[in-house]
Amino acid sequence: MAVVGKNYAVLERGWLRTSGLLTWLVWAFVHILSLPQLQNRLRVQRQWLWSYFTGQRSSRLIPETPRTTNG
């Protein structure tokens, strides 16, 4: 399964090949179910709905401490 864009995903597994909005919804459902806690599931659903209806994308920054060179 892969998401290609908004409202569009593809699925190829053995003889099963499908794409489109329904596949995208299935992908979202499977992804939400794979999250470990109900709190995480609800948070992700809320973030996705907000992004879907407003068009705003959230940024996830992972800060790293600067590496020092030993020389």
Side-chain angles (χ1 to χ4, degrees):
M1 267 186 136
V3 172
V4 178
K6 188 174 182 179
N7 296 339
Y8 192 82
V10 294
L11 166 66
E12 292 185 11
R13 183 167 175 98
W15 56 270
L16 178 63
R17 292 179 181 202
T18 183
S19 62
L21 175 62
L22 183 59
T23 306
W24 182 76
L25 291 170
V26 170
W27 174 87
F29 181 74
V30 168
H31 182 78
I32 293 291
L33 284 182
S34 69
L35 294 173
Q37 296 177 350
L38 178 62
Q39 179 182 0
N40 292 339
R41 292 177 190 157
L42 296 175
R43 181 180 299 132
V44 169
Q45 285 176 347
R46 186 176 61 242
Q47 289 172 348
W48 284 1
L49 286 171
W50 178 259
S51 296
Y52 185 83
F53 289 114
T54 64
Q56 295 177 354
R57 295 180 58 173
S58 62
S59 62
R60 291 184 177 90
L61 301 176
I62 303 172
E64 293 184 18
T65 57
R67 296 183 184 180
T68 58
T69 58
N70 296 330

